[in-house]
């Protein structure tokens, strides 16, 4: 009760001041040293609640609970987790001025220390410690707020979405979602890099289990496997990066690490390869988790999972972990400008590549999967050109609008029996029960397309504007690529909306009748495929059914979130300051929190000066809007007003031998999967067979058995001596050989 | 207290074996289950009463039973913290393996359980021994029960497998014996106060440069390692393992992977590394490269296996090479990691073998082409299978991660003196190749899961309608089977989140074992070799230089 009272107190205070003081606008130079805050131990509950819920879901699964209980448990504990996060945020906003990060030690996890025996041993490197501790600063809070917030909402959505699986996979689904929330929390709140690694692999596990949720589908199993393995490649890089960080900076805990890094920047330490390689290895980890080139191909395949999972894990939260990692280690990247430039190039390239693929997909979930890859590319571009604020703000807005888009896709899929092909649906806005879906879907598309004054518009412009403001001509070039990609984004987003929600009403059912297919399997002698009769039967009586309260309510709330995510930017426009920017400014990524470049001044001359607009961000907005509107109008023409023109265009391209390759390559995802298959998997596979063959026939067959045959042949001479009892062999062999060897050594030793 | 407990640990299994021999057949399994459980309880008490946790010293237990006093051969026992942990592991796995055999073994039960108890006695003997001859006797004698267990209760090729297992092992360990005898003979000759086979005395003696020249230490290391390498098993001498695992009964595989393979790693840690530092340093990189080949080669072979038990067996090779790589990084981090790896490999691989055994009992096949999608049939089994697979691939939060991460970290940082506290000879490049093993291990383990747990249901054709009725086993796991796997899962989870109780006590032990290394490593780095220095100095000169701490910084 007391806690509730104090919570309402805090809320009142926070509303009164409106801007929490932790985020007040003072400029900070350097990251303030963190303070140990044992009184915040209760923050551990944010991690513990999902664990408890996972255990309870496991018990439900074991006891074969045939109700929505697991969903309820998960939803309640995630909402509670969100409440605690909010409370944490509010309680920290009481203090005056920029507040140092808090570290909360929960318990010792890995502690290893030793006496240095070496004369040159430095004192710093006498232990490896990775306590289970939390590091709470504004970046952590920002991330946790939308992770737990969206997590709760999507769990509520899923209680309805997954209802056809009640009693079957329902508990498993929610158990995995709970595991995910725990792991994501550990990743974001963890106070050291090994704890981050725990979360890092933990979210990979949750993703593996959830992508493979429909485990009887071989494609889902393959997608899950692919996701985990590609992530493992990134994880391996991250692990090596962690080792190198320890070697160079002597700690794995953020608080000590940032101190050491800031010192390293000052002393101009020698550029050994061990130091130079760190950001590139970390990058590999980030690119694996955040699906950037060259490790991006798992994310579109991961759409095999249930749609709430795609929304939560593969759009809003997990895939932004790479952005978090680089933002968290921004002081490190600041020491390596070339590494940051690499991040920018790869981010920008991925954004363009994925956008071109997304333009040519017919599966609406895949379109948005590639869109996620593309938008993540923007975030990395932002980090690379030096605006961690832009990147984080885009993470924030993207979390809402992309979750919204996926949940809309899911609601459509739910109501249309698994239909996802945009050629087979049209005019859904007029279908009964699909009204809320259609209009919230439109909001999501507007934000994604960075329609002027939507949330995506502000966050994207923060990134692109910074690219144009830079003195680096490469970054200006990347800015142009990003503007072009913004146009493509607008095109593919509205291609989907105009096709699915606009136009004459017309639809057909999907092939997956997800309520009946699984039941058919559950008999004793099921053979792993849905009996055709069931599907047929279901298809006859099929009609689209609109979502009920849980799904509609969540869509509306997230839609509101997507719109309100623009509020910080409006606040900034009206002379205030951007909330997200202040959050970033008081975290380890503070260096990139300013809107303009390092000089902080208005740029008299920038890459967009030809427009005659002084302020680079205004100029960017104008230019990007022009491209965005162009994309929207093209989509409007090709996919709403004159749909046959789209087919003509495609056929025209296909019939011309010079342009033939373009639609084919785009529809086949530029053959990246095939290239990987033939350059990596097949050679490895061959090598594995060679190894196996050599092991069996060469090492074992020739060498071992050959050696074994030698004494066997010799032994034939003495065969009569043996009576066939094993102990006899053993004793004789041991005794004999030992005697011989001892004698040999005796002789040898005498000689020495 | 400790003394009597340690005798109990050795005698109780033997006595129970005898009791089983005379008891009625039906009670054999109950006696085995009860006595192994009691032994586990005793081992816990032993660990509780053990005083050497913080000191790291080998605690002699004053339990000396002279066998051949004139040759200094005694049954003398002692335990270090590393040894006690391995005793706990062995004693923990034994009752689970016994209870796991209840339904699988229906013929010649008395022999089966009696041999297992004999095996347990020899295993505990290895980890308790403080006398070289006693150590070797237990080391060798463990082959006999294992031989019978494979030869009588194994699969179709059990004869070939058991003979190969026996001869292979024997061939290797004879060299180890020769090394031990050589050390003892030298001791007798140089010290002159009679024979001693006390391991600590011998180790201290032979690692002392005043007693053993560098080339002598080198050859001692080669001899000792030959036997241990077969047991570990290292890359070219690993071919017995897949066959033996494939053919052994389930419990045999569990114990083979869980405890018997640890003889090799324990032997290296307890005897070879401290006794012959010169040899260890000289051959450090050689063995590390062998480990790397083993890691990658075995992992690739796993990928193309069709038999799930063979796959796990090959993954054991890959994992133990990982463990040894950690040990050969010669620093505290890597060696601690190697130790953690020993325990964790025993738990997760042992549990995986148990899981596979449960499938084999139901379907009489281990072929992944014939079995698949078992999640639909056996969700509880699948849960455990996925759990232990994840622990095996080193998912943080489960036990496998701690060892793996520390092994890699130790290996990676080995060449940076200031960092690891101990200079070593490996370095980032070794770790980078080992990391490939991490990726490939995720590949083959997940492919295995994808085939056997997920996907559309596949069962052997002749099986689906008949065998369920024939065997008394339920479709999914029985309560007995669940209660076998649950303790292992809980321990895995505990170690994953709270490994400190294990990390803390072994630190000191490792520091003592590695005490003589830093100086020698420095010298090796300067001269490029200890035994054959480039500057062609005579042995004597090199030895005097060793004692003067005038070496320049190498970094």
């Amino acid at each position: 009760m007391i806690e509730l009272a104090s919570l309402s107190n805090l809320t009142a205070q926070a509303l009164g001041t409106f801007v929490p003081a932790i985020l007040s606008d003072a400029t900070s130079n350097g990251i303030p040293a963190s303070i140990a805050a044992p009184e915040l131990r209760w923050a551990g509950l944010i991690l513990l609640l999902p664990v408890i819920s996972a255990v309870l879901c496991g018990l439900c699964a074991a006891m074969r609970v045939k109700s929505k209980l697991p969903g309820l448990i998960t939803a309640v504990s995630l909402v509670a987790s969100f409440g605690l996060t909010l409370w944490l945020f509010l309680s920290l906003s009481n203090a005056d001025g920029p507040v140092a990060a808090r570290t909360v030690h929960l318990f010792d996890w890995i502690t290893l220390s030793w006496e240095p025996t070496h004369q040159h041993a430095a004192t710093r490197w006498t232990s490896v410690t990775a306590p289970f501790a939390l590091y709470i600063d504004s970046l952590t809070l920002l991330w946790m707020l939308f992770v737990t917030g969206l997590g709760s909402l999507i769990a509520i959505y899923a209680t309805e979405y997954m209802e056809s699986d009640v009693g079957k996979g329902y508990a498993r689904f929610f158990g995995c979602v709970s595991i995910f929330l725990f792991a994501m929390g550990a990743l974001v709140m963890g106070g050291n890099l090994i704890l981050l690694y725990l979360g890092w692999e933990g979210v990979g596990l949750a993703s593996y289990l959830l992508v493979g949720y429909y485990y009887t589908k071989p494609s889902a199993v393959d997608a899950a496997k692919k996701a985990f393995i590609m992530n493992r490649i990134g994880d391996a890089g991250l692990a090596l990066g962690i080792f190198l960080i320890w070697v160079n900076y002597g700690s794995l805990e953020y608080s000590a690490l940032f101190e050491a890094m800031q010192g390293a920047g000052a002393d101009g330490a020698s550029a050994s390869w061990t130091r130079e390689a760190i950001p590139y290895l970390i990058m590999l980890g980030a690119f694996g988790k955040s699906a950037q080139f060259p490790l991006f191909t798992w994310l579109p395949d991961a759409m095999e999972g249930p749609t709430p999972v795609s929304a939560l894990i593969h759009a809003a939260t997990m895939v932004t972990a790479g952005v978090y990692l680089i933002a968290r280690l921004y002081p490190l990247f600041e020491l390596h400008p070339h590494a940051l430039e690499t991040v920018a190039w790869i981010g920008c390239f991925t954004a363009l590549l994925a956008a071109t693929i997304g333009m040519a997909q017919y599966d609406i979930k895949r379109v948005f999967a590639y869109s996620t890859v593309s938008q993540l590319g923007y975030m990395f571009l932002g980090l690379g050109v030096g605006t961690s604020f832009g990147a984080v703000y885009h993470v924030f807005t993207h979390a809402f609008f992309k979750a919204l888009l996926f949940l809309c896709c899911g609601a459509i899929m739910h109501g249309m029996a698994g239909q996802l092909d945009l050629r087979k649906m049209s005019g859904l806005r007029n279908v009964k029960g699909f009204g809320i879906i259609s209009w919230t879907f439109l909001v999501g598309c507007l934000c994604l397309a960075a329609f002027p004054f939507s949330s995506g518009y502000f966050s994207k412009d923060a990134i692109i504007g910074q690219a144009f403001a830079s003195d680096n001509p490469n970054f200006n070039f990347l800015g142009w690529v990003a503007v072009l990609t913004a146009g493509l984004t607008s095109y593919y987003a509205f291609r989907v909306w105009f096709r699915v929600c606009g136009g004459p009403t017309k639809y057909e059912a999907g092939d997956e009748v997800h309520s009946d297919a699984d039941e058919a399997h559950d008999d004793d002698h099921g053979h792993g495929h849905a009996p055709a009769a069931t599907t047929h039967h279901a298809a006859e009586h099929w009609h689209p059914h609109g979502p009920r309260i849980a799904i509609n309510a969540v869509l509306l709330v997230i839609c509101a979130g997507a719109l309100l995510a623009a509020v910080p930017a409006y606040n900034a426009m009206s002379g205030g300051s951007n909330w997200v920017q202040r959050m970033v400014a008081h975290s380890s990524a503070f260096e990139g929190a300013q809107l303009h470049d390092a000089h902080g001044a208005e740029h008299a001359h920038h890459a967009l000066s030809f427009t005659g607009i002084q302020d680079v961000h205004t100029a960017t907005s104008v230019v990007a809007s022009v491209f965005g509107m162009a994309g929207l109008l093209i989509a409007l023409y090709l996919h709403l007003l004159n749909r046959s023109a789209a087919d003509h265009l495609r056929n025209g391209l296909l019939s011309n031998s010079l342009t033939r390759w373009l639609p084919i390559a785009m529809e086949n995802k530029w053959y990246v999967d095939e290239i990987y298959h033939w350059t990596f998997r097949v050679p490895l596979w061959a090598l594995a067979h060679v190894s196996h063959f050599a092991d069996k026939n060469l090492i074992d067959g020739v060498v071992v058995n050959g050696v074994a045959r030698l004494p066997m042949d010799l032994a034939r001479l003495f065969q009569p001596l043996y009576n066939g009892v094993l102990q006899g062999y053993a004793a004789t062999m041991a005794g004999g050989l030992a005697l011989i060897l001892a004698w040999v050594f005796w002789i040898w030793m005498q000689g020495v | 207290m400790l003394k009597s407990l340690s005798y109990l640990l050795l005698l109780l299994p033997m006595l129970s074996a005898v009791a089983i021999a005379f008891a009625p057949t039906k009670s054999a399994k109950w006696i085995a289950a009860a006595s192994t459980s009691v032994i586990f309880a005793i081992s816990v008490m032993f660990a509780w009463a053990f005083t050497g946790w913080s000191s790291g010293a080998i605690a002699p237990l004053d339990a000396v039973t002279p066998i051949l006093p004139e040759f200094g051969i005694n049954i003398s026992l002692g335990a270090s913290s590393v040894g006690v942990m391995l005793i706990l592991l062995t004693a923990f796995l034994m009752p689970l393996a016994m209870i796991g055999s209840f339904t699988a073994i229906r013929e010649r039960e008395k022999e089966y359980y009696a041999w297992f108890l004999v095996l347990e006695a020899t295993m505990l003997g290895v980890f308790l021994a403080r006398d070289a001859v006693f150590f070797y006797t237990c080391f060798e004698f463990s082959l006999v029960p294992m031989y019978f267990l494979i030869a009588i209760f194994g699969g179709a090729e059990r004869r070939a497998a058991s003979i190969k297992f026996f001869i292979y092992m024997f061939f290797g360990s004879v060299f180890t014996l020769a090394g031990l005898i050589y050390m003892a003979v030298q001791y007798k000759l140089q010290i002159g106060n009679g024979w001693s086979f006390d391991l600590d005395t011998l180790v201290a003696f032979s690692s002392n440069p005043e007693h053993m020249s560098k080339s002598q230490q080198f050859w001692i290391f080669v001899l000792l390692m030959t036997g241990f390498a077969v047991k570990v098993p290292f890359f070219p001498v690993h071919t017995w393992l897949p066959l033996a695992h494939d053919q052994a009964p389930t419990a045999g595989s569990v114990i083979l992977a869980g405890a018997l393979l640890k003889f090799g790693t324990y032997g290296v840690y307890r005897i070879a590394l401290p006794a012959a530092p010169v040899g260890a340093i000289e051959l450090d990189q050689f063995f590390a490269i062998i480990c790397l080949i083993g890691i990658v080669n075995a992992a690739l072979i796993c990928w193309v296996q069709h038999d799930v038990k063979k796959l796990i067996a090959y993954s054991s090779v890959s994992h133990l090479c990982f463990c040894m790589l950690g040990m050969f990084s010669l620093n505290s981090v890597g060696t601690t990691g190697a130790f953690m790896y020993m325990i964790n490999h025993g738990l997760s691989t042992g549990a995986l073998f148990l899981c596979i055994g449960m499938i084999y009992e139901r379907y009489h096949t281990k072929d992944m082409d014939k079995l698949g999608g078992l999640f639909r049939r056996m969700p509880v089994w699948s849960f455990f299978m996925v759990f232990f697979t994840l622990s095996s691939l080193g998912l943080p939060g489960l036990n496998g991660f701690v060892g793996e991460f520390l092994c890699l970290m130790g290996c990676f940082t080995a060449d940076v003196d200031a960092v690891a506290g101990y200079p070593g000879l490996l370095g980032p490049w070794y770790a980078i190749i080992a990391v490939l093993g991490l990726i490939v291990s995720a590949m083959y383990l997940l492919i295995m899961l994808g085939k056997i747990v997920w996907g559309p249901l596949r069962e052997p054709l002749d099986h689906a309608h008949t065998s369920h009725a024939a065997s008394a086993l339920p479709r999914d796991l029985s309560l007995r089977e669940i209660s076998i796997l649950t303790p292992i899962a809980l321990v895995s989870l505990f170690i994953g989140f709270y490994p400190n109780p294990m990390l803390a006590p072994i630190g000191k032990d490792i520091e003592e074992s590695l005490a003589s290394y830093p100086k020698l490593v420095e010298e090796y780095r300067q001269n490029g070799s200890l035994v054959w220095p480039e500057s062609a100095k005579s042995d004597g000169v090199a030895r005097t230089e060793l004692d003067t701490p005038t070496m320049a910084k190498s970094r």
Side-chain angles (χ1 to χ4, degrees), chain A residues 366-684:
Chain A
R366 298 240 162 189
V367 172
F368 290 118
Y370 281 105
S371 160
T372 305
V373 175
S374 175
Q375 299 303 306
L376 287 163
Y378 272 108
M379 298 166 199
F380 283 103
L381 173 66
L383 289 170
V385 298
T387 171
S388 55
F389 152 66
V392 173
Y393 192 30
H394 200 50
V395 167
F396 188 70
T397 58
H398 175 259
F400 286 99
F401 67 70
K402 190 53 71 59
L404 176 62
L405 287 170
F406 271 111
L407 293 182
C408 287
C409 286
I412 290 171
M413 196 180 166
H414 190 65
M416 307 292 285
Q419 184 57 270
L420 283 172
D421 193 326
L422 56 79
R423 290 168 297 190
K424 294 179 180 165
M425 291 180 286
S426 175
L428 288 191
R429 72 183 189 286
N430 294 324
V431 179
K432 189 172 165 288
F434 284 78
I436 293 180
I437 297 178
S438 299
W439 299 116
T440 51
F441 201 4
L442 178 63
V443 171
C445 286
L446 287 171
C447 291
L448 172 61
F451 193 80
F453 306 107
S454 65
S455 58
Y457 164 80
F458 292 111
S459 55
K460 208 176 271 183
D461 282 352
I463 294 169
I464 303 175
Q466 180 68 25
F468 283 128
S470 169
D471 297 332
N472 186 337
N474 289 343
F475 287 169
N476 298 340
F477 169 72
L478 292 181
W480 282 110
V481 178
V483 166
L484 173 69
T485 309
L488 301 181
T489 309
S490 177
Y491 168 77
Y492 68 67
F494 279 95
R495 169 173 174 260
V496 172
W497 198 81
F498 288 140
R499 282 269 170 182
V500 173
C501 294
T505 302
K506 188 179 72 176
Y507 48 78
E508 35 187 288
D511 52 357
E512 176 204 314
V513 183
H514 60 233
S515 53
D516 299 331
D518 267 4
E519 261 161 15
H521 289 298
D522 217 38
D523 65 322
D524 254 2
H525 307 295
H527 291 284
H529 52 83
T534 321
T535 317
H536 182 64
H537 177 75
E540 265 177 15
H541 297 272
W542 180 81
H543 56 88
H545 61 94
R548 293 197 313 274
I549 176 79
I551 288 182
N552 276 333
V554 169
L555 286 180
L556 287 173
V557 171
I558 296 190
C559 178
L563 290 171
L564 290 176
V567 167
Y570 285 121
N571 197 28
M573 273 167 67
S574 61
S577 60
N578 188 319
W579 175 74
V580 176
Q581 196 177 356
R582 289 196 305 277
M583 292 295 264
V584 176
H586 295 124
S587 73
S588 59
F590 72 96
E591 289 270 20
Q594 297 310 314
L595 263 177
H596 301 291
D597 63 344
H599 311 299
E602 297 277 314
H603 254 245
H605 184 80
H606 52 76
L608 295 177
S609 291
F610 67 87
T611 54
I613 303 169
Q614 271 285 309
D615 178 57
V616 64
H617 283 276
T618 317
T620 308
S621 307
V622 171
V623 172
S625 300
V626 169
F627 274 79
M629 292 311 287
L632 199 158
L633 290 175
I634 294 170
L636 178 71
Y637 177 71
L638 288 179
H639 299 290
L640 188 67
L641 301 177
N642 188 1
R643 285 186 180 171
S644 57
D647 297 329
H648 282 305
L649 181 63
R650 182 166 179 273
N651 292 334
L653 286 172
L654 280 174
S655 60
N656 187 336
S657 58
L658 276 178
T659 52
R660 215 181 121 69
W661 58 274
L662 185 68
I664 294 179
M666 276 163 65
E667 280 166 25
N668 288 295
K669 312 160 212 164
W670 298 104
Y671 293 102
V672 178
D673 272 322
E674 285 73 13
I675 292 168
Y676 288 170
H677 181 81
W678 289 104
T679 49
F680 294 107
R681 194 177 172 281
V682 169
L684 254 185

Side-chain angles (χ1 to χ4, degrees), chain A residues 255-343:
Chain A
S255 36
L257 208 51
F258 294 145
E259 217 169 287
M261 279 171 187
Q262 284 171 334
D267 68 17
S270 60
S272 64
W273 76 266
T274 55
R275 194 163 276 208
E276 291 298 317
I278 298 174
Y280 294 94
L281 289 166
I282 299 283
M283 232 186 270
L284 188 63
F287 290 164
K289 193 62 71 193
S290 292
Q292 295 296 290
F293 183 83
L295 297 174
F296 71 98
T297 58
W298 64 269
L299 184 60
D301 286 9
M303 297 300 128
E304 292 287 346
T307 307
V309 169
S310 310
L312 176 64
I313 300 187
H314 302 119
T317 55
M318 181 186 89
V319 288
T320 65
V323 182
Y324 171 80
L325 177 65
I326 293 184
R328 173 57 78 215
L329 294 178
Y330 219 59
L332 171 77
F333 280 81
E334 293 279 331
L335 299 174
H336 306 272
H338 287 289
L340 272 181
E341 196 167 336
T342 313
V343 171

